[in-house]
Amino acid sequence: MADLLGLPVGDEYQGQSLVPEVFGAEARPRPVSSIYPAQSERPAQGDHRGDHKPIAFGDDRRFELFNVGLDFAERERYRSPSQRNSRR
């Protein structure tokens, strides 16, 4: 907000200004984090970087990995080519 208002931004603030993008500059790729709170049906946290989105569930360290470049709706967990070719 400070950058948008033309005010100085101190070094104590993390991140990068989105002002250039607000005024039409091309958006730079950046990670996107999602947090589903403990009060939700499935508490989880996800970190979307590129085409892959790992999601960690609760405190038991379970996770799922999705390739959102191929499966935006996250219907199928990602499996490597070797996992897809093996029979279990």
Side-chain angles (χ1 to χ4, degrees), residues 33-36 42-47 53-58:
S33 294
S34 304
I35 298 175
Y36 308 96
R42 285 183 83 187
Q45 180 171 333
D47 189 24
K53 179 180 179 183
I55 301 176
F57 295 96

Side-chain angles (χ1 to χ4, degrees), residues 3-17:
D3 192 25
L4 186 59
L5 296 171
L7 301 172
V9 180
D11 292 336
E12 67 272 16
Y13 296 104
Q14 296 179 356
Q16 297 174 340
S17 175

Side-chain angles (χ1 to χ4, degrees), residues 51-65:
D51 286 343
H52 294 95
K53 179 180 179 183
I55 301 176
F57 295 96
D59 294 331
D60 62 3
R61 302 179 198 266
R62 288 180 303 120
F63 73 93
E64 295 177 358
L65 178 64

